[in-house]
Amino acid sequence: MITLDGVMQAPGGPKEDTSGGFKYGGWTATYGDEVYGEVVQKELQQPADYLLGRKTFEIWEGYWPKHADFWPGINNGTKYVLSKTRKKSDWNNTVFIKNLADIKKLKRSKGLDIQVWGSSKLIQLLLKNDLVDELRLKIHPLTLGVGKMLFDIGPIPAAFTLVESTVTSTGVIIAWYKRAGKVKTGTVGT
């Protein structure tokens, strides 16, 4: 979930993530409709494991174990958490990893697809190190000007192919991109 200017901080509620004085938490609330709900439900039903940054994990750790009725998979899937400070959690199926080498090892392993939700700094690390196979974006028709950004640190140049897209009645563009190799250049008009 991102804004037109790439902000992804605290889409779900005013108190979700107020770090840096962010005051626009819950900015997605007015953009839900039937199409949006169907897409989200489809994503939540996919069998997956999860790679999360520590801050996102700590937000989720207090919420999702109590809301399994809405998203049972988050409790069943393994949650790999990138953290230098955390080593354990009472949330079942949680594994703490320490560095980029651990992420690369995880990516090479066999098993379920690994999804990243939230975790802006983690996503930036993955983009910078060419470890992103897909992007599933919900681009909301607003700008916030401040907040944690999707493309803040500068990903490597990379091409993506649009696999599927839809536009909701509230103007949210839902787009699924797959990695498509290197950037190709040329001259327009030749």
Side-chain angles (χ1 to χ4, degrees), residues 93-111:
N93 302 322
T94 299
V95 176
F96 290 91
I97 59 176
K98 296 179 182 178
N99 53 40
L100 185 61
D102 290 341
I103 295 172
K104 288 179 178 180
K105 183 178 177 184
L106 181 61
K107 184 169 173 31
R108 288 189 305 268
S109 67
K110 294 187 191 294

Side-chain angles (χ1 to χ4, degrees), residues 66-143:
K66 301 170 191 165
H67 295 87
D69 55 324
F70 186 76
W71 190 5
I74 192 60
N75 289 313
N76 299 331
T78 301
K79 284 135 326 260
Y80 297 96
V81 182
L82 181 63
S83 176
K84 294 177 182 174
T85 58
R86 292 283 304 263
K87 293 186 173 114
K88 64 180 183 169
S89 172
D90 291 334
W91 193 6
N92 64 323
N93 302 322
T94 299
V95 176
F96 290 91
I97 59 176
K98 296 179 182 178
N99 53 40
L100 185 61
D102 290 341
I103 295 172
K104 288 179 178 180
K105 183 178 177 184
L106 181 61
K107 184 169 173 31
R108 288 189 305 268
S109 67
K110 294 187 191 294
L112 296 174
D113 284 346
I114 299 169
Q115 298 180 358
V116 178
W117 291 68
S119 306
S120 61
K121 288 186 179 186
L122 172 59
I123 291 173
Q124 292 166 6
L125 177 69
L126 298 174
L127 287 166
K128 184 178 179 180
N129 288 280
D130 198 16
L131 295 171
V132 175
D133 297 324
E134 298 181 4
L135 290 169
R136 294 186 183 220
L137 304 176
K138 293 167 194 71
I139 306 163
H140 293 69
L142 77 157
T143 59

Side-chain angles (χ1 to χ4, degrees), residues 43-50 73 112-115:
E43 290 175 346
L44 297 180
Q45 292 172 12
Q46 296 172 348
D49 289 330
Y50 307 91
L112 296 174
D113 284 346
I114 299 169
Q115 298 180 358

